[in-house]
PDB file of all heavy atoms in Angstrom:
ATOM      1  N   GLY A   8      -0.481   9.619   6.683  1.00  0.00           N
ATOM      2  CA  GLY A   8      -1.371   8.531   7.055  1.00  0.00           C
ATOM      3  C   GLY A   8      -0.942   8.011   8.415  1.00  0.00           C
ATOM      4  O   GLY A   8      -0.848   6.695   8.584  1.00  0.00           O
ATOM      5  N   SER A   9      -0.487   8.855   9.238  1.00  0.00           N
ATOM      6  CA  SER A   9       0.056   8.388  10.577  1.00  0.00           C
ATOM      7  C   SER A   9      -0.893   7.677  11.587  1.00  0.00           C
ATOM      8  O   SER A   9      -0.469   6.967  12.528  1.00  0.00           O
ATOM      9  CB  SER A   9       0.775   9.552  11.332  1.00  0.00           C
ATOM     10  OG  SER A   9      -0.189  10.603  11.700  1.00  0.00           O
ATOM     11  N   THR A  10      -2.192   7.858  11.318  1.00  0.00           N
ATOM     12  CA  THR A  10      -3.146   7.265  12.205  1.00  0.00           C
ATOM     13  C   THR A  10      -3.657   5.826  11.740  1.00  0.00           C
ATOM     14  O   THR A  10      -4.487   5.231  12.471  1.00  0.00           O
ATOM     15  CB  THR A  10      -4.479   8.193  12.317  1.00  0.00           C
ATOM     16  OG1 THR A  10      -4.881   8.352  10.969  1.00  0.00           O
ATOM     17  CG2 THR A  10      -4.041   9.466  12.936  1.00  0.00           C
ATOM     18  N   GLY A  11      -3.083   5.411  10.719  1.00  0.00           N
ATOM     19  CA  GLY A  11      -3.595   4.070  10.199  1.00  0.00           C
ATOM     20  C   GLY A  11      -2.738   2.979  10.715  1.00  0.00           C
ATOM     21  O   GLY A  11      -1.901   3.164  11.535  1.00  0.00           O
ATOM     22  N   SER A  12      -2.981   1.724  10.124  1.00  0.00           N
ATOM     23  CA  SER A  12      -2.278   0.537  10.664  1.00  0.00           C
ATOM     24  C   SER A  12      -0.709   0.683  10.388  1.00  0.00           C
ATOM     25  O   SER A  12       0.074   0.494  11.328  1.00  0.00           O
ATOM     26  CB  SER A  12      -2.819  -0.681   9.819  1.00  0.00           C
ATOM     27  OG  SER A  12      -1.921  -1.722   9.938  1.00  0.00           O
ATOM     28  N   ILE A  13      -0.349   1.037   9.211  1.00  0.00           N
ATOM     29  CA  ILE A  13       1.062   1.251   8.959  1.00  0.00           C
ATOM     30  C   ILE A  13       1.612   2.472   9.622  1.00  0.00           C
ATOM     31  O   ILE A  13       2.740   2.572  10.238  1.00  0.00           O
ATOM     32  CB  ILE A  13       1.351   1.369   7.409  1.00  0.00           C
ATOM     33  CG1 ILE A  13       1.079   0.040   6.752  1.00  0.00           C
ATOM     34  CG2 ILE A  13       2.807   1.790   6.988  1.00  0.00           C
ATOM     35  CD1 ILE A  13       2.050  -1.060   7.076  1.00  0.00           C
ATOM     36  N   SER A  34       0.232  13.249   9.164  1.00  0.00           N
ATOM     37  CA  SER A  34      -1.075  13.633   8.508  1.00  0.00           C
ATOM     38  C   SER A  34      -2.063  12.579   8.611  1.00  0.00           C
ATOM     39  O   SER A  34      -1.721  11.341   8.881  1.00  0.00           O
ATOM     40  CB  SER A  34      -0.889  13.959   7.117  1.00  0.00           C
ATOM     41  OG  SER A  34      -0.944  12.810   6.299  1.00  0.00           O
ATOM     42  N   CYS A  35      -3.392  12.914   8.619  1.00  0.00           N
ATOM     43  CA  CYS A  35      -4.451  11.940   8.555  1.00  0.00           C
ATOM     44  C   CYS A  35      -5.631  12.459   7.923  1.00  0.00           C
ATOM     45  O   CYS A  35      -5.599  13.636   7.502  1.00  0.00           O
ATOM     46  CB  CYS A  35      -4.745  11.324   9.897  1.00  0.00           C
ATOM     47  SG  CYS A  35      -5.724  12.603  10.884  1.00  0.00           S
ATOM     48  N   HIS A  36      -6.695  11.667   7.793  1.00  0.00           N
ATOM     49  CA  HIS A  36      -7.932  12.197   7.236  1.00  0.00           C
ATOM     50  C   HIS A  36      -8.865  12.867   8.154  1.00  0.00           C
ATOM     51  O   HIS A  36      -9.065  14.024   8.129  1.00  0.00           O
ATOM     52  CB  HIS A  36      -8.670  11.101   6.416  1.00  0.00           C
ATOM     53  CG  HIS A  36      -9.908  11.433   5.701  1.00  0.00           C
ATOM     54  ND1 HIS A  36      -9.994  12.501   4.895  1.00  0.00           N
ATOM     55  CD2 HIS A  36     -11.127  10.967   5.963  1.00  0.00           C
ATOM     56  CE1 HIS A  36     -11.318  12.642   4.503  1.00  0.00           C
ATOM     57  NE2 HIS A  36     -11.999  11.688   5.167  1.00  0.00           N
ATOM     58  N   SER A  37      -9.224  12.135   9.257  1.00  0.00           N
ATOM     59  CA  SER A  37     -10.179  12.750  10.227  1.00  0.00           C
ATOM     60  C   SER A  37      -9.976  12.237  11.566  1.00  0.00           C
ATOM     61  O   SER A  37     -10.740  12.504  12.456  1.00  0.00           O
ATOM     62  CB  SER A  37     -11.648  12.384   9.679  1.00  0.00           C
ATOM     63  OG  SER A  37     -11.829  10.945   9.627  1.00  0.00           O
ATOM     64  N   ASN A  38      -8.989  11.482  11.884  1.00  0.00           N
ATOM     65  CA  ASN A  38      -8.875  10.834  13.121  1.00  0.00           C
ATOM     66  C   ASN A  38      -8.138  11.729  14.142  1.00  0.00           C
ATOM     67  O   ASN A  38      -6.931  11.583  14.554  1.00  0.00           O
ATOM     68  CB  ASN A  38      -7.977   9.546  12.986  1.00  0.00           C
ATOM     69  CG  ASN A  38      -8.401   8.409  13.904  1.00  0.00           C
ATOM     70  OD1 ASN A  38      -8.878   8.754  15.055  1.00  0.00           O
ATOM     71  ND2 ASN A  38      -8.330   7.184  13.482  1.00  0.00           N
ATOM     72  N   ASP A  57      -7.684  16.550   7.296  1.00  0.00           N
ATOM     73  CA  ASP A  57      -8.742  17.034   6.340  1.00  0.00           C
ATOM     74  C   ASP A  57      -9.872  17.567   7.008  1.00  0.00           C
ATOM     75  O   ASP A  57     -10.531  18.610   6.751  1.00  0.00           O
ATOM     76  CB  ASP A  57      -9.154  15.883   5.407  1.00  0.00           C
ATOM     77  CG  ASP A  57      -8.056  15.429   4.470  1.00  0.00           C
ATOM     78  OD1 ASP A  57      -7.008  16.130   4.396  1.00  0.00           O
ATOM     79  OD2 ASP A  57      -8.284  14.428   3.830  1.00  0.00           O
ATOM     80  N   SER A  83      -3.043  16.554   3.295  1.00  0.00           N
ATOM     81  CA  SER A  83      -1.822  15.733   3.105  1.00  0.00           C
ATOM     82  C   SER A  83      -1.093  16.102   1.912  1.00  0.00           C
ATOM     83  O   SER A  83       0.234  16.101   1.854  1.00  0.00           O
ATOM     84  CB  SER A  83      -2.120  14.217   2.993  1.00  0.00           C
ATOM     85  OG  SER A  83      -2.641  13.782   4.283  1.00  0.00           O
ATOM     86  N   ALA A  98       1.814   6.494   4.033  1.00  0.00           N
ATOM     87  CA  ALA A  98       1.003   5.366   4.437  1.00  0.00           C
ATOM     88  C   ALA A  98      -0.437   5.661   4.318  1.00  0.00           C
ATOM     89  O   ALA A  98      -1.279   5.133   5.080  1.00  0.00           O
ATOM     90  CB  ALA A  98       1.402   4.904   5.818  1.00  0.00           C
ATOM     91  N   ILE A  99      -0.779   6.561   3.365  1.00  0.00           N
ATOM     92  CA  ILE A  99      -2.144   6.835   3.061  1.00  0.00           C
ATOM     93  C   ILE A  99      -2.764   5.682   2.376  1.00  0.00           C
ATOM     94  O   ILE A  99      -2.121   4.956   1.568  1.00  0.00           O
ATOM     95  CB  ILE A  99      -2.329   8.187   2.283  1.00  0.00           C
ATOM     96  CG1 ILE A  99      -1.765   9.289   3.138  1.00  0.00           C
ATOM     97  CG2 ILE A  99      -3.719   8.351   1.744  1.00  0.00           C
ATOM     98  CD1 ILE A  99      -1.681  10.592   2.292  1.00  0.00           C
ATOM     99  N   VAL A 100      -4.032   5.369   2.595  1.00  0.00           N
ATOM    100  CA  VAL A 100      -4.687   4.245   1.907  1.00  0.00           C
ATOM    101  C   VAL A 100      -5.497   4.770   0.574  1.00  0.00           C
ATOM    102  O   VAL A 100      -6.043   5.855   0.581  1.00  0.00           O
ATOM    103  CB  VAL A 100      -5.667   3.535   2.856  1.00  0.00           C
ATOM    104  CG1 VAL A 100      -6.879   4.376   3.344  1.00  0.00           C
ATOM    105  CG2 VAL A 100      -6.257   2.149   2.133  1.00  0.00           C
ATOM    106  N   GLY A 101      -5.328   3.954  -0.517  1.00  0.00           N
ATOM    107  CA  GLY A 101      -6.091   4.287  -1.690  1.00  0.00           C
ATOM    108  C   GLY A 101      -5.541   5.419  -2.512  1.00  0.00           C
ATOM    109  O   GLY A 101      -4.416   5.862  -2.343  1.00  0.00           O
ATOM    110  N   SER A 103      -6.061   8.484  -2.706  1.00  0.00           N
ATOM    111  CA  SER A 103      -5.692   9.771  -2.066  1.00  0.00           C
ATOM    112  C   SER A 103      -4.223   9.868  -1.816  1.00  0.00           C
ATOM    113  O   SER A 103      -3.661  10.956  -1.617  1.00  0.00           O
ATOM    114  CB  SER A 103      -6.345   9.875  -0.647  1.00  0.00           C
ATOM    115  OG  SER A 103      -7.777   9.683  -0.790  1.00  0.00           O
ATOM    116  N   SER A 121       4.356   2.966   1.147  1.00  0.00           N
ATOM    117  CA  SER A 121       3.485   1.875   1.416  1.00  0.00           C
ATOM    118  C   SER A 121       2.188   2.069   0.674  1.00  0.00           C
ATOM    119  O   SER A 121       1.523   1.008   0.329  1.00  0.00           O
ATOM    120  CB  SER A 121       3.131   2.108   2.948  1.00  0.00           C
ATOM    121  OG  SER A 121       2.375   0.983   3.399  1.00  0.00           O
ATOM    122  N   ASN A 122       1.799   3.223   0.155  1.00  0.00           N
ATOM    123  CA  ASN A 122       0.622   3.354  -0.666  1.00  0.00           C
ATOM    124  C   ASN A 122       0.921   2.891  -2.169  1.00  0.00           C
ATOM    125  O   ASN A 122       1.330   3.503  -2.948  1.00  0.00           O
ATOM    126  CB  ASN A 122       0.354   5.001  -0.796  1.00  0.00           C
ATOM    127  CG  ASN A 122      -0.848   5.175  -1.584  1.00  0.00           C
ATOM    128  OD1 ASN A 122      -0.660   5.597  -2.815  1.00  0.00           O
ATOM    129  ND2 ASN A 122      -1.979   5.143  -1.070  1.00  0.00           N
ATOM    130  N   LYS A 123       0.584   1.548  -2.260  1.00  0.00           N
ATOM    131  CA  LYS A 123       0.899   0.945  -3.497  1.00  0.00           C
ATOM    132  C   LYS A 123       0.074   1.411  -4.595  1.00  0.00           C
ATOM    133  O   LYS A 123       0.265   1.431  -5.807  1.00  0.00           O
ATOM    134  CB  LYS A 123       0.742  -0.655  -3.325  1.00  0.00           C
ATOM    135  CG  LYS A 123      -0.709  -1.084  -3.003  1.00  0.00           C
ATOM    136  CD  LYS A 123      -0.684  -2.614  -2.569  1.00  0.00           C
ATOM    137  CE  LYS A 123      -0.328  -2.764  -1.162  1.00  0.00           C
ATOM    138  NZ  LYS A 123      -0.277  -4.076  -0.715  1.00  0.00           N
ATOM    139  N   GLU A 124      -1.204   1.968  -4.154  1.00  0.00           N
ATOM    140  CA  GLU A 124      -2.224   2.477  -5.184  1.00  0.00           C
ATOM    141  C   GLU A 124      -1.552   3.460  -6.094  1.00  0.00           C
ATOM    142  O   GLU A 124      -1.822   3.629  -7.319  1.00  0.00           O
ATOM    143  CB  GLU A 124      -3.481   2.963  -4.545  1.00  0.00           C
ATOM    144  CG  GLU A 124      -4.247   1.854  -3.883  1.00  0.00           C
ATOM    145  CD  GLU A 124      -3.946   1.570  -2.386  1.00  0.00           C
ATOM    146  OE1 GLU A 124      -2.822   2.111  -1.923  1.00  0.00           O
ATOM    147  OE2 GLU A 124      -4.692   0.884  -1.587  1.00  0.00           O
ATOM    148  N   ASP A 148       5.864  -2.224   1.519  1.00  0.00           N
ATOM    149  CA  ASP A 148       5.120  -3.538   1.359  1.00  0.00           C
ATOM    150  C   ASP A 148       6.146  -4.685   1.597  1.00  0.00           C
ATOM    151  O   ASP A 148       7.226  -4.706   1.051  1.00  0.00           O
ATOM    152  CB  ASP A 148       4.552  -3.574  -0.076  1.00  0.00           C
ATOM    153  CG  ASP A 148       3.131  -4.091  -0.176  1.00  0.00           C
ATOM    154  OD1 ASP A 148       2.832  -4.809   0.783  1.00  0.00           O
ATOM    155  OD2 ASP A 148       2.567  -3.969  -1.207  1.00  0.00           O
ATOM    156  N   ASP A 201      -2.388  -8.089  10.835  1.00  0.00           N
ATOM    157  CA  ASP A 201      -3.431  -7.223  11.256  1.00  0.00           C
ATOM    158  C   ASP A 201      -3.154  -5.908  10.507  1.00  0.00           C
ATOM    159  O   ASP A 201      -2.385  -5.132  10.752  1.00  0.00           O
ATOM    160  CB  ASP A 201      -3.129  -7.043  12.767  1.00  0.00           C
ATOM    161  CG  ASP A 201      -4.219  -6.203  13.450  1.00  0.00           C
ATOM    162  OD1 ASP A 201      -5.313  -5.882  12.779  1.00  0.00           O
ATOM    163  OD2 ASP A 201      -4.014  -5.677  14.628  1.00  0.00           O
ATOM    164  N   MET A 202      -4.224  -5.517   9.655  1.00  0.00           N
ATOM    165  CA  MET A 202      -4.060  -4.465   8.739  1.00  0.00           C
ATOM    166  C   MET A 202      -5.226  -3.621   8.717  1.00  0.00           C
ATOM    167  O   MET A 202      -6.245  -3.928   9.249  1.00  0.00           O
ATOM    168  CB  MET A 202      -3.718  -5.075   7.316  1.00  0.00           C
ATOM    169  CG  MET A 202      -2.704  -6.110   7.169  1.00  0.00           C
ATOM    170  SD  MET A 202      -2.316  -6.718   5.549  1.00  0.00           S
ATOM    171  CE  MET A 202      -3.801  -7.757   5.197  1.00  0.00           C
ATOM    172  N   GLY A 203      -5.175  -2.423   7.996  1.00  0.00           N
ATOM    173  CA  GLY A 203      -6.306  -1.575   7.755  1.00  0.00           C
ATOM    174  C   GLY A 203      -7.500  -2.393   6.979  1.00  0.00           C
ATOM    175  O   GLY A 203      -7.168  -3.458   6.504  1.00  0.00           O
ATOM    176  N   LYS A 204      -8.606  -1.746   7.039  1.00  0.00           N
ATOM    177  CA  LYS A 204      -9.814  -2.502   6.515  1.00  0.00           C
ATOM    178  C   LYS A 204      -9.639  -2.758   4.961  1.00  0.00           C
ATOM    179  O   LYS A 204      -9.927  -3.836   4.452  1.00  0.00           O
ATOM    180  CB  LYS A 204     -11.064  -1.685   6.716  1.00  0.00           C
ATOM    181  CG  LYS A 204     -11.506  -1.660   8.139  1.00  0.00           C
ATOM    182  CD  LYS A 204     -12.782  -0.925   8.294  1.00  0.00           C
ATOM    183  CE  LYS A 204     -13.203  -1.020   9.829  1.00  0.00           C
ATOM    184  NZ  LYS A 204     -14.339  -0.348  10.099  1.00  0.00           N
ATOM    185  N   ILE A 206      -7.006  -2.977   2.816  1.00  0.00           N
ATOM    186  CA  ILE A 206      -6.066  -4.044   2.409  1.00  0.00           C
ATOM    187  C   ILE A 206      -6.498  -5.377   2.897  1.00  0.00           C
ATOM    188  O   ILE A 206      -6.281  -6.336   2.371  1.00  0.00           O
ATOM    189  CB  ILE A 206      -4.659  -3.707   2.771  1.00  0.00           C
ATOM    190  CG1 ILE A 206      -3.703  -4.627   2.253  1.00  0.00           C
ATOM    191  CG2 ILE A 206      -4.476  -3.441   4.341  1.00  0.00           C
ATOM    192  CD1 ILE A 206      -2.212  -4.407   2.370  1.00  0.00           C
ATOM    193  N   MET A 264       5.015  -6.275  10.135  1.00  0.00           N
ATOM    194  CA  MET A 264       5.200  -5.082   9.222  1.00  0.00           C
ATOM    195  C   MET A 264       6.320  -4.133   9.755  1.00  0.00           C
ATOM    196  O   MET A 264       6.939  -3.358   9.032  1.00  0.00           O
ATOM    197  CB  MET A 264       4.043  -4.339   8.893  1.00  0.00           C
ATOM    198  CG  MET A 264       3.050  -4.961   7.909  1.00  0.00           C
ATOM    199  SD  MET A 264       3.887  -5.386   6.314  1.00  0.00           S
ATOM    200  CE  MET A 264       4.356  -3.801   5.582  1.00  0.00           C
TER     201      MET A 264
HETATM  202  P1  NDP B   1      -5.450   2.266   7.205  1.00  0.00           P
HETATM  203  O1  NDP B   1      -6.807   2.336   6.633  1.00  0.00           O
HETATM  204  O2  NDP B   1      -5.197   1.608   8.467  1.00  0.00           O
HETATM  205  O3  NDP B   1      -4.904   3.735   7.366  1.00  0.00           O
HETATM  206  C1  NDP B   1      -4.997   4.661   6.314  1.00  0.00           C
HETATM  207  C2  NDP B   1      -4.374   6.053   6.694  1.00  0.00           C
HETATM  208  O4  NDP B   1      -4.613   6.951   5.610  1.00  0.00           O
HETATM  209  C3  NDP B   1      -5.021   6.581   7.904  1.00  0.00           C
HETATM  210  O5  NDP B   1      -4.000   7.423   8.665  1.00  0.00           O
HETATM  211  C4  NDP B   1      -6.168   7.500   7.359  1.00  0.00           C
HETATM  212  O6  NDP B   1      -6.402   8.684   8.192  1.00  0.00           O
HETATM  213  C5  NDP B   1      -5.375   8.068   6.130  1.00  0.00           C
HETATM  214  N1  NDP B   1      -6.223   8.526   5.088  1.00  0.00           N
HETATM  215  C6  NDP B   1      -7.394   7.929   4.647  1.00  0.00           C
HETATM  216  N2  NDP B   1      -7.908   8.674   3.629  1.00  0.00           N
HETATM  217  C7  NDP B   1      -7.151   9.734   3.534  1.00  0.00           C
HETATM  218  C8  NDP B   1      -7.310  10.914   2.704  1.00  0.00           C
HETATM  219  N3  NDP B   1      -8.192  11.143   1.759  1.00  0.00           N
HETATM  220  N4  NDP B   1      -6.165  11.842   2.781  1.00  0.00           N
HETATM  221  C9  NDP B   1      -5.207  11.725   3.607  1.00  0.00           C
HETATM  222  N5  NDP B   1      -5.116  10.557   4.472  1.00  0.00           N
HETATM  223  C10 NDP B   1      -6.069   9.684   4.358  1.00  0.00           C
HETATM  224  O7  NDP B   1      -4.621   1.679   6.014  1.00  0.00           O
HETATM  225  P2  NDP B   1      -3.227   0.740   6.136  1.00  0.00           P
HETATM  226  O8  NDP B   1      -2.254   1.457   7.144  1.00  0.00           O
HETATM  227  O9  NDP B   1      -3.577  -0.627   6.330  1.00  0.00           O
HETATM  228  O10 NDP B   1      -2.698   0.816   4.598  1.00  0.00           O
HETATM  229  C11 NDP B   1      -1.990   2.101   4.203  1.00  0.00           C
HETATM  230  C12 NDP B   1      -1.315   1.701   2.802  1.00  0.00           C
HETATM  231  O11 NDP B   1      -0.338   0.761   3.158  1.00  0.00           O
HETATM  232  C13 NDP B   1      -2.306   1.072   1.802  1.00  0.00           C
HETATM  233  O12 NDP B   1      -1.882   1.510   0.512  1.00  0.00           O
HETATM  234  C14 NDP B   1      -1.928  -0.444   1.974  1.00  0.00           C
HETATM  235  O13 NDP B   1      -2.196  -1.156   0.702  1.00  0.00           O
HETATM  236  C15 NDP B   1      -0.449  -0.395   2.291  1.00  0.00           C
HETATM  237  N6  NDP B   1      -0.083  -1.539   3.136  1.00  0.00           N
HETATM  238  C16 NDP B   1      -0.567  -1.806   4.233  1.00  0.00           C
HETATM  239  C17 NDP B   1      -0.139  -2.906   5.015  1.00  0.00           C
HETATM  240  C18 NDP B   1      -0.620  -3.209   6.414  1.00  0.00           C
HETATM  241  O14 NDP B   1      -0.154  -4.164   7.069  1.00  0.00           O
HETATM  242  N7  NDP B   1      -1.583  -2.410   6.840  1.00  0.00           N
HETATM  243  C19 NDP B   1       0.886  -3.833   4.400  1.00  0.00           C
HETATM  244  C20 NDP B   1       1.385  -3.383   3.268  1.00  0.00           C
HETATM  245  C21 NDP B   1       0.897  -2.249   2.529  1.00  0.00           C
HETATM  246  P3  NDP B   1      -7.625   8.555   9.167  1.00  0.00           P
HETATM  247  O15 NDP B   1      -7.239   7.520  10.229  1.00  0.00           O
HETATM  248  O16 NDP B   1      -7.943   9.889   9.650  1.00  0.00           O
HETATM  249  O17 NDP B   1      -8.851   7.962   8.410  1.00  0.00           O
END
Side-chain angles (χ1 to χ4, degrees):
S9 63
T10 55
S12 159
I13 293 292
S34 84
C35 74
H36 177 57
S37 60
N38 217 327
D57 292 349
S83 291
I99 294 174
V100 63
S103 311
S121 191
N122 179 265
K123 62 191 84 184
E124 294 89 346
D148 218 344
D201 182 13
M202 310 182 283
K204 287 186 178 173
I206 186 175
M264 283 308 295

